[in-house]
Amino acid sequence: MSWQTYIDDQLMCEIEGNNKLTSAAILGHDGSVWAQTPNFPKFTPEEIMAIMKDFDEPGSLAPTGLHLGGTKYMVIQGEPGAVVRGKKGQGGVTVKKTTQCLLFGIYDEPMTPGQCNMVVERLGDYLVDQGY
């Protein structure tokens, strides 16, 4: 299966009706794009480095927020070393770290934070089990 197929079939799937992520991406730990939706934000290397740092030093993003494509998300409770979650207005972002990559899911209403977490983290757990 190609990485783009994981985006199209797994991350962008419909949940409970027609709720789905607004955009998604799979990036290498170095910020290289493995696959993404066409509307995924144009991020900077510094933004990815800050997210990676938070996985190594949980809480490092809390004072400044999580930035992605110039959008600032308030960091909310995640799983230290495994998941970073951000909230902005009625939407947010979930970032799941696997052995080799980062999975990003960005959502807005009517999708809920829990639905986004479930979609992103379920695929992330599967990839960890597969050695990715």
Side-chain angles (χ1 to χ4, degrees):
M1 185 183 289
S2 77
W3 292 110
Q4 191 63 46
T5 303
Y6 283 113
I7 296 282
D8 298 340
D9 295 349
Q10 304 292 319
L11 292 177
M12 296 304 292
C13 68
E14 291 185 355
I15 302 291
E16 297 173 20
N18 51 3
N19 293 346
K20 66 180 191 176
L21 298 173
T22 56
S23 63
I26 302 173
L27 308 179
H29 288 178
D30 61 358
S32 60
V33 176
W34 292 12
Q36 66 182 13
T37 56
N39 61 339
F40 191 77
K42 297 204 181 311
F43 57 87
T44 67
E46 293 78 19
E47 291 171 335
I48 302 306
M49 287 187 329
I51 293 167
M52 284 299 294
K53 180 180 178 186
D54 194 78
F55 285 116
D56 295 332
E57 301 171 27
S60 66
L61 284 177
T64 59
L66 183 158
H67 291 80
L68 190 63
T71 299
K72 179 180 177 180
Y73 296 88
M74 178 179 69
V75 177
I76 55 177
Q77 183 264 333
E79 295 173 30
V83 179
V84 176
R85 298 181 184 115
K87 184 94 173 105
K88 178 176 174 51
Q90 301 303 313
V93 61
T94 299
V95 185
K96 168 74 174 177
K97 181 182 180 200
T98 73
T99 311
Q100 298 180 29
C101 62
L102 298 173
L103 281 74
F104 289 81
I106 298 175
Y107 70 93
D108 213 338
E109 283 192 326
M111 185 173 236
T112 66
Q115 290 171 327
C116 177
N117 297 341
M118 181 184 68
V119 169
V120 175
E121 294 173 37
R122 186 186 302 159
L123 178 57
D125 291 342
Y126 169 78
L127 292 177
V128 168
D129 290 344
Q130 299 302 307
Y132 292 106

